[in-house]
């Protein structure tokens, strides 16, 4: 049982707690009432707001739709006005652009092309929308007039700014072809950058909008003229400079390649300066054509549409190329006439030109790539013509050496080297500078299977065979000519001089090596021929030395008086020797042996033979009393005889 005091406390706690709960409940009731009131108020407000929104919506939506319609109408009006402005602008194009079109594009190309674009659009508009409009004819007229002005401006720009390339600049361009740094600096600027820009703009407009190709004809005609005049100017430069020392070339490129055409050829005997100038000028013009044509093609690719470039270039180079080919054919024609006259030195003009044409042919082929077949075949045709003419000249020269007539009045009276020999050797020596060219000429005429596999070795053998043929023909002709001389000794001196001249000439040049390709023993053979002629000559002295030989001389004893017959025989021997010596020395003094070494050798050999024989003869009979007048028979001492022989072959003594 709970104590009363504790129960009282407990009750009081419960009562306090209950009181608190009642207060809380009372607060909650008050709050709920307030909340309900607020909710009622909010619902009332929302209901009112909803009602107002509905009223607003019912008022705004029609306004919005009306505004939207108005905006659409405004846009349509604006578009219509814009279209009207655009259409109206076409009607103003003619008046807006007429002044500029009339004045032309010079100095304001971009503005002019802008006007042409407006006119073109106007033409297209009227053609599509109002083909019967008088405005169409007006803008069409302006367009055609503008196009003509652009064509005229293109012609004017090309004419005014296309300049002939100076000879000095061309020579520098040729001379610098292997110097890469120089080559960079040597790029030709045919048109300035601004002019080139205008020309390109006009050409592209004419192709794209003008539907015009006539300007391409204008282009190639103007550039063709400049190219042709540049090459002719170079040739004239050489002609004017031919009187000065050497062939002119510009000093701007000092380091020339050894085999460039700018190098002056070595002067050759028998060739005049004018002929050398003509050859050099032509060779330079060929090289100039290649370089200038390359430069023209580079310029053309910027201006002419791609699918017209090859044809335009073909037309552009024709005049200059035809001029070169015609001049080359003229050279061939002159060479053919020279062959008929047997003037083979003139034929040699073909050789350096042909060599240069063949060396230049790869560049030619590259430059002419894409041109017509007739254009490509021009150079090969000229090369073939020159090879045929050259081969004919070589063949005729060999035949001429063989068949040169034995004209007595043309024979050297002193037995020296014949003109035919010197001419033949000179011609062969000049061929040395053109071994490959001459070999190729000969090979071009071969029809054997070996010729089809032509190479440098084959060419060398052909040239060696040819040289040996010429030398063989020359030797046969010299033998025939020598028969003109009645004196066998003079005949021998003549053959000796000619054989010796041939051998020495062969040895001084590379001819001996070429001959040895097919005739290993040629040098030895000539030496044997020379020695044989010396021996033949020496036999001419037998009629002198036979008088003083021991054969049939009387044998006598010292102190024994000679019989009359013996004295007479000794007198006859002395007289025969003296007369023979005097006669031979008188005759042979007028003969000539130009080679000092050979002359001394022959004199020395003859002196030795005669001195030995005459010295022995004198030793035996000088003290013999075979005459009362010994000075009448013993006219010469041994030294005097030697001096007389020493003066042989010396026309100046």
């Amino acid at each position: 049982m709970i104590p009363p005091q504790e129960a009282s406390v407990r009750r009081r706690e419960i009562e306090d707690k209950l009181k608190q709960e009642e207060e809380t409940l009372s607060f909650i009731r008050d709050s709920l009432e307030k909340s309900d009131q607020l909710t009622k108020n909010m619902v009332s407000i929302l209901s009112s707001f909803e009602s107002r929104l509905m009223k607003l919506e019912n008022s705004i939506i029609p306004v919005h739709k009306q505004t939207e319609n108005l905006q659409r109408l405004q846009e349509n009006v604006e578009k219509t006005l814009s279209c009207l402005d655009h259409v109206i602008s076409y009607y103003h194009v003619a008046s807006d652009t007429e002044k500029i079109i009339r004045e032309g594009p010079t100095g304001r190309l971009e503005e002019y092309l802008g006007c042409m674009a407006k006119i073109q659009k106007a033409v297209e508009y009227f053609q599509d929308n109002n083909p019967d409009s008088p405005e169409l004819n007006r803008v069409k007229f302006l367009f055609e007039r503008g196009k003509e002005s652009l064509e005229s401006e293109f012609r004017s720009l090309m004419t005014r700014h296309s300049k002939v390339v100076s000879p000095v600049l061309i020579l520098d361009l040729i001379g610098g072809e292997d110097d890469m740094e120089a080559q960079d600096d040597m790029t030709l600027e045919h048109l300035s950058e601004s002019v080139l820009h205008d020309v390109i703009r006009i050409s592209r407009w004419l192709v794209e909008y003008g539907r015009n190709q006539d300007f391409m004809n204008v282009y190639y005609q103007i550039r063709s003229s400049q190219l042709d005049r540049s090459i002719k100017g170079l040739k004239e430069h050489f002609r004017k400079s031919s009187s000065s020392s050497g062939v002119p070339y510009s000093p701007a490129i000092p380091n020339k390649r050894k085999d460039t055409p700018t190098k002056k050829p070595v002067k050759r005997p028998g060739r005049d300066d004018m002929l050398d100038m003509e050859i050099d000028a032509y060779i330079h013009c060929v090289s100039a054509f290649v370089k200038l044509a390359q430069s023209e093609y580079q310029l053309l690719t910027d201006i002419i549409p791609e699918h017209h470039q090859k044809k335009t270039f073909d037309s552009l180079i024709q005049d200059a190329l035809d001029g070169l080919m015609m001049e080359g054919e003229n050279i061939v024609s002159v060479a053919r006439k020279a062959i008929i006259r047997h003037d083979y030195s003139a034929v040699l003009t073909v050789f350096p030109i042909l060599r240069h044409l063949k060396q230049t042919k790869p560049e030619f082929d590259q430059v002419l790539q894409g041109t017509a077949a007739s254009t490509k075949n021009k150079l090969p045709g000229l090369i073939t013509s020159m090879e045929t003419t050259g081969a004919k000249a070589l063949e005729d020269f060999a035949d001429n050496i063989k068949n040169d007539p034995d004209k007595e009045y043309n024979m050297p009276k002193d037995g020296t080297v014949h003109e035919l020999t010197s001419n033949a050797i000179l011609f062969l020596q000049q061929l040395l500078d053109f071994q490959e060219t001459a070999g190729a000429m000969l090979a071009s005429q071969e029809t054997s299977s070996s010729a089809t596999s032509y190479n440098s070795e084959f060419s060398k053998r052909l040239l060696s065979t040819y040289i040996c043929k010429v030398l063989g023909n020359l030797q046969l002709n010299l033998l025939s000519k020598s028969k003109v001389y009645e004196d066998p000794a003079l005949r021998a001196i003549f053959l000796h001089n000619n054989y010796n001249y041939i051998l020495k000439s062969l040895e001084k040049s590379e001819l001996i090596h070429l001959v040895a390709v097919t005739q290993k023993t040629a040098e030895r053979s000539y030496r044997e021929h020379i020695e044989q002629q010396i021996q033949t000559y020496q036999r001419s002295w037998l009629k002198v030395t036979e008088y003083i030989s021991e054969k049939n001389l009387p044998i006598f004893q010292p102190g024994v008086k000679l019989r009359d017959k013996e004295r007479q025989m000794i007198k006859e021997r002395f007289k025969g020797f003296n007369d023979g010596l005097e006669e031979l020395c008188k005759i042979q003094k007028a003969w000539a042996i130009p080679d000092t070494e050979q002359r001394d050798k022959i004199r020395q050999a003859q002196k030795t033979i005669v001195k030995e024989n005459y010295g022995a003869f004198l030793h035996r009979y000088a003290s013999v009393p075979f005459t009362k007048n010994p000075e009448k028979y013993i006219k010469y001492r041994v030294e005097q005889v030697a001096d007389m022989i020493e003066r042989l072959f010396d026309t100046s003594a």
Side-chain angles (χ1 to χ4, degrees):
M1 187 169 179
I2 301 171
Q5 188 179 358
E6 188 175 324
S8 176
V9 172
R10 182 79 180 265
R11 184 169 52 252
R12 202 168 33 254
E13 286 176 357
I14 292 171
E15 287 175 355
D16 290 340
K17 190 173 182 181
L18 180 60
K19 186 179 180 181
Q20 287 177 354
E21 291 294 335
E22 287 176 350
E23 288 176 356
T24 300
L25 180 61
S26 176
F27 175 76
I28 291 171
R29 284 193 188 102
D30 291 341
S31 295
L32 283 173
E33 288 176 1
K34 289 179 182 179
S35 177
D36 286 342
Q37 186 63 41
L38 288 173
T39 299
K40 288 177 182 179
N41 292 340
M42 181 60 66
V43 169
S44 175
I45 291 170
L46 287 174
S47 297
S48 176
F49 184 71
E50 182 181 8
S51 174
R52 290 178 182 179
L53 278 178
M54 288 180 64
K55 288 179 181 180
L56 182 62
E57 184 178 352
N58 291 332
S59 301
I60 290 300
I61 286 176
V63 173
H64 174 71
K65 288 181 178 179
Q66 187 177 5
T67 302
E68 193 176 49
N69 290 334
L70 287 173
Q71 286 177 337
R72 190 177 296 112
L73 286 172
Q74 184 179 3
E75 288 175 1
N76 290 338
V77 168
E78 288 176 352
K79 287 180 180 178
T80 302
L81 289 173
S82 176
C83 288
L84 285 172
D85 288 341
H86 185 65
V87 170
I88 291 170
S89 70
Y90 289 129
Y91 286 86
H92 293 161
V93 165
S95 58
D96 290 345
T97 60
E98 186 173 9
K99 182 176 183 294
I100 294 174
I101 297 301
R102 187 173 61 251
E103 292 175 353
T106 304
R108 52 177 176 186
L109 179 61
E110 292 303 325
E111 182 184 5
Y112 196 88
L113 291 176
C115 289
M116 289 300 293
K118 292 178 182 179
I119 294 171
Q120 185 179 8
K121 288 179 180 178
V123 170
E124 292 171 354
Y125 170 80
F126 288 120
Q127 283 177 336
D128 293 340
N129 298 284
N130 195 359
D132 297 327
S133 170
E135 285 297 322
L136 175 60
N137 293 331
R138 190 178 178 190
V139 289
K140 267 188 173 181
F141 173 77
L142 279 178
F143 184 81
E144 291 302 320
R145 183 171 181 176
K147 185 169 75 170
E148 290 174 3
S149 294
L150 285 170
E151 292 170 5
S152 177
E153 179 70 3
F154 182 89
R155 179 188 293 274
S156 176
L157 286 172
M158 290 303 303
T159 302
R160 284 187 289 115
H161 297 280
S162 291
K163 305 296 182 184
V164 173
V165 183
S166 72
V168 171
L169 190 56
I170 294 174
L171 289 170
D172 286 346
L173 187 68
I174 297 170
E177 59 185 354
D178 285 334
D179 187 334
M180 295 309 295
E181 291 183 5
Q183 188 67 12
D184 291 340
D185 296 334
M186 288 309 300
T187 301
L188 290 177
E189 185 184 75
H190 295 289
L191 301 174
S192 68
E193 188 174 344
S194 60
V195 172
L196 180 61
H197 173 269
D198 287 354
V199 168
I200 292 172
R201 290 283 286 118
I202 295 173
S203 70
R204 289 178 179 172
W205 188 94
L206 289 173
V207 171
E208 187 173 355
Y209 303 109
R211 304 291 187 269
N212 180 286
Q213 296 182 7
D214 292 343
F215 78 94
M216 299 181 200
N217 296 331
V218 171
Y219 178 86
Y220 92 70
Q221 288 167 1
I222 293 172
R223 294 308 306 173
S224 174
S225 174
Q226 301 308 316
L227 175 61
D228 192 40
R229 288 168 60 194
S230 295
I231 293 175
K232 287 178 178 175
L234 177 63
K235 185 177 180 182
E236 185 63 26
H237 179 66
F238 275 85
R239 186 174 286 112
K240 288 180 180 178
S241 304
S242 61
S243 59
S244 62
S245 58
V247 173
Y249 61 84
S250 169
I253 307 293
N255 297 321
K256 305 290 180 184
R257 188 176 63 178
K258 187 175 181 182
D259 59 349
T260 52
T262 51
K263 183 177 182 291
K264 172 119 175 79
V266 178
K267 178 68 179 163
R268 309 183 193 287
R271 296 261 299 277
D272 56 54
D273 291 335
M274 185 58 68
L275 189 59
D276 277 339
M277 184 281 296
E278 291 290 343
I279 294 170
D280 234 27
Y282 186 73
I283 286 174
H284 279 77
C285 286
V286 169
S287 294
F289 172 81
V290 172
K291 292 297 179 186
L292 292 177
Q294 288 172 342
S295 181
E296 287 293 342
Y297 190 75
Q298 290 172 357
L299 177 65
L300 178 143
T301 54
D302 290 331
I303 299 171
I304 304 299
E306 185 176 358
H307 54 289
H308 292 285
Q309 288 173 1
K310 295 295 184 182
K311 183 179 178 181
T312 305
F313 180 69
D314 197 338
S315 300
L316 190 156
I317 61 173
Q318 285 303 314
D319 286 350
L321 181 59
D322 286 344
L324 282 179
M325 296 302 106
M326 186 180 299
E327 191 172 349
E329 289 295 347
N330 288 340
I331 292 169
V332 172
S333 178
V334 169
R336 286 173 181 153
K337 292 175 183 176
I339 294 172
I340 296 172
R341 299 193 310 270
H342 302 301
D343 178 10
Y344 299 100
S345 62
V347 175
L348 288 169
T349 59
V350 171
F351 285 77
I353 293 172
L354 176 58
R355 179 175 64 183
H356 186 66
L357 289 179
K358 294 179 82 170
Q359 287 174 343
T360 314
K361 187 176 180 297
E363 287 185 275
F364 247 98
D365 292 343
Q366 187 177 11
V367 169
L368 301 183
Q369 192 176 18
T371 58
S374 58
T375 303
K376 292 178 184 175
N377 292 335
K378 286 180 180 179
L379 180 65
L382 178 59
I383 288 175
T384 299
S385 181
M386 285 192 169
E387 281 193 329
T388 303
T389 302
K392 179 71 165 58
L394 292 176
E395 189 62 34
D396 280 20
F397 178 77
D399 291 342
N400 187 62
I401 293 297
K402 181 179 180 180
N403 302 317
D404 185 68
D406 303 329
K407 297 176 182 177
E408 186 172 349
Y409 65 84
N410 199 34
M411 294 294 288
K413 304 298 182 185
D414 57 0
T416 190
V417 178
H418 196 280
E419 184 182 10
L420 180 69
T421 302
S422 58
N423 287 343
I425 294 299
L426 176 61
F427 185 84
L428 294 180
Q429 286 175 336
Q430 290 175 344
L431 284 185
L432 282 177
D433 291 337
F434 311 102
Q435 293 183 41
E436 289 187 13
T437 305
M441 281 180 178
L442 296 168
S444 69
Q445 307 304 304
E446 290 287 319
T447 56
S448 63
S449 58
S450 59
T452 59
S453 58
Y454 165 72
N455 54 45
S456 59
E457 189 60 33
F458 176 70
S459 165
K460 195 172 185 179
R461 291 190 66 81
L462 277 180
L463 187 57
S464 175
T465 302
Y466 172 77
I467 292 172
C468 291
K469 177 183 178 181
V470 171
L471 293 175
N473 289 350
L474 178 61
Q475 188 172 338
L476 289 172
N477 201 319
L478 290 172
L479 282 170
S480 176
K481 289 183 185 301
S482 69
K483 295 174 183 176
V484 171
Y485 298 114
E486 295 180 0
D487 191 330
L490 180 55
R491 189 181 307 153
I493 290 297
F494 171 76
L495 290 174
H496 163 274
N497 283 333
N498 282 272
Y499 291 157
N500 184 64
Y501 178 83
I502 293 170
L503 178 59
K504 288 294 176 69
S505 298
L506 293 178
E507 289 176 334
K508 286 178 182 177
S509 65
E510 294 180 18
L511 280 172
I512 194 68
H513 302 303
L514 264 178
V515 169
V517 171
T518 52
Q519 285 195 11
K520 304 291 185 185
T521 61
E523 187 174 359
R524 187 179 69 194
S525 177
Y526 273 111
R527 294 195 187 282
E528 290 173 354
H529 287 318
I530 292 167
E531 190 58 37
Q532 182 182 354
Q533 298 309 318
I534 292 175
Q535 292 173 7
T536 301
Y537 162 75
Q538 288 176 339
R539 283 197 287 273
S540 68
W541 282 84
L542 290 177
K543 61 183 180 183
V544 176
T545 57
E546 68 180 1
Y547 286 107
I548 56 176
S549 65
E550 293 186 3
K551 184 181 178 182
N552 300 324
L553 282 173
I555 300 172
F556 60 91
Q557 298 295 327
V560 178
K561 186 178 180 180
L562 296 175
R563 291 176 295 180
D564 291 342
K565 183 179 179 181
E566 290 174 336
R567 286 197 297 272
Q568 186 60 35
M569 182 180 291
I570 294 171
K571 289 178 183 178
E572 288 175 356
R573 294 294 181 93
F574 270 107
K575 186 176 186 304
F577 172 79
N578 293 335
D579 291 346
L581 176 66
E582 290 167 358
E583 181 185 0
L584 275 187
C585 287
K586 180 181 178 182
I587 293 172
Q588 295 185 8
K589 178 184 176 182
W591 297 354
I593 300 179
D595 188 316
T596 306
E597 183 182 345
Q598 286 291 312
R599 184 168 66 237
D600 292 343
K601 175 185 174 182
I602 292 172
R603 283 174 177 170
Q604 189 58 44
Q606 208 54 54
K607 279 195 296 184
T608 300
I609 295 171
V610 175
K611 281 173 66 179
E612 286 179 359
N613 283 273
Y614 186 59
F617 185 76
L618 275 183
H619 180 72
R620 177 175 290 189
Y621 294 107
S623 58
V624 174
F626 65 91
T627 177
K628 294 179 181 178
N629 300 308
E631 65 279 358
K632 179 181 177 180
Y633 297 98
I634 308 175
K635 295 173 65 174
Y636 303 106
R637 300 189 307 277
V638 174
E639 289 74 16
Q640 287 178 304
V641 171
D643 288 342
M644 291 171 72
I645 295 174
E646 187 64 33
R647 289 194 292 273
L648 296 180
F649 317 119
D650 188 358
T651 55
S652 63

